[in-house]
Amino acid sequence: MQARWSVADRSADYAPLVVSKGNASEPIHGWFHFKEGFSSHLLSRLFKDAAYVPTNKISILDPFLGSGTTLVSAILMARDLGCDVTAVGVERNPIIYEVAKAKVASALRGSSLLGAIASVEGIFWKEFERLKSAPESLTTPSTTLNNSNYFAASYVRSLLSLNRATRVISEPEVRAVFRACVSAAVEPSAKLRRDGRALRYVPDRETIEPIGSFRRSLAQVSEDLKGLSPMDDARIEIVHGDARDLDLLGRTERFEWIVFSPPYPNNIDYTEVYKIEAWALEEYSNAAEMKKQRLKTLRSHPSIRFPDEYHYKNNDHADEIDALLCPLLESVPSGRYERGRRQLILGYVDDMLRVLRSSRKLVARDGVCAIVVGNSVHGSGEDSFVIAADLLLARAAEFAGWSVEEIRVARHLSRRGAGVAYLRESIIVLRAD
C-alpha cells in the first residue's frame, strides 16, 4: 500500500521536531511536562516546507490540542511577523485542556496578564492558609492520592488546598494559570513518574514539596510574560470537546492549516497516565466519573472495553475499508489479547475516519493538513505485528475527501534495540483540492 504515495525519509529534518524534547526550556511551552507533545518548532518547519509565508493572518485548527503547542507556536509566530491569528484548539482530556487554556491565554495576553496575576496572589494565599488550617476537610476519593507509598499525606493536603484556593479567583484566564501551576506541581511531589503506557512506582524517587513547586511555576510564568506584548485582535478559541465531532463547533469559516498529533494506536491510556493531576484538581468526584472520561476518548488503546460500534459500516466506502483492514485483522494472533487488539484496530480507524471527515469540512480550498502519527508494534516474537498508522490514516484520509501529498518519515523507531519494518513516526501531509 505504501507505493500508492510519495514517502520520503525526512528524519534529518524532522526527528527532533516530532518529540517534545527542548520544549521545557522554551517560554510558555515549558510550563507543564507533556511528554507526548511535539516540538514548539514543528509549525515553522511545516510552513517552511510548504513555502507558506503568512502575511495578513495565520489561520489554524488543532483538533488534538494537547497542552497547546500548536496554538502557542502560532500566536508567538504571528506576533513576530506582525500578522493576525485565528485559531481553534480542541482537547478531550480535562487536565491537558486546563493547561492548554492557561498557556494559550498567556501567549495572547502577554505582559498585560501580570497585573491581574499579582492582584489576586494575596487573596489566593490567604484562602490557601484558611484551607490548610482545616485538614479534616482536605480529603479525596482517589485511591492513588491516598496511597502513602505514592504520596505523603501532607503533600496531598497541600495540593488540594492549592487547587481549592484557585476558586477565589474570578477571572477565568488568571484562574487557569494558577490551576496549570498546581498541575505542574503534582507529578514532582509523587513517587510516580510517567513511563510509556503507565505511571510507574519509583520508591527511591526524590519528591518535591508542592507548595515550593507551585511558587516556582508561578514565578516562571511571570518571567516568561515580561515584555511580551498582548495580541488584542487575535481570535482564539479553546474547546473542551471531541475531535470526532468538529461539526459541533458551529464554525462557518475555513482554516488554511490543520495540524495535529492524535493518540497513536498503542497501549497508552492518557486518562490513566494523567490521572493524578485530574484527581488533585478534583476533575473527578468518583471512579465512575473517571471511567466515563476514559470511554469518551479516542479508541487508541485496548485498556478499557469500548462499545463495538463502528460508524464506517454505514459509510459509502465500507467495503473498501473492510478490505483495507482485513489483512491486519487476520495478523492478530489468537489468545487473551485478540479481542482487545481487534477492537483497537477497528475502533482507531473508525474514530480517525470521523476526525478526517469532520476536519475536511473546516479546511479552506487548497488548505493543508499535517498529521504527526506513530506506528506501533504489538505482541512479541513470531506473534508480533505492526499497526502502520501512517498508511492507514493516509488511506482513510482519501476516503474522507483529502489528497495525500506526501508521507514524511520523521523518526525511525526500534523495539528493544531491534529494527522493525514500518516502525516509525511520520508526518502525513494532506491537501484539500
Side-chain angles (χ1 to χ4, degrees), residues 311-327:
H311 290 74
Y312 85 82
K313 296 290 187 181
N314 299 316
N315 187 290
D316 292 342
H317 299 284
D319 291 342
E320 292 172 278
I321 296 170
D322 280 334
L324 171 70
L325 296 179
C326 184

Side-chain angles (χ1 to χ4, degrees), residues 2-16:
Q2 178 169 283
R4 186 181 181 91
W5 308 290
S6 169
V7 179
D9 188 337
R10 297 291 303 279
S11 55
D13 299 319
Y14 280 99

Side-chain angles (χ1 to χ4, degrees), residues 17 46 55 70 125-126 172 183 204 210 216 236 244 269 276 284 311 325 382 396 418 433:
L17 301 181
L46 290 170
T55 52
T70 300
W125 286 114
K126 183 177 180 180
S183 298
D204 57 351
R216 284 187 289 275
I236 309 291
R244 293 165 293 192
D269 176 358
I276 55 175
Y284 311 130
H311 290 74
L325 296 179
E382 294 182 356
D433 295 333

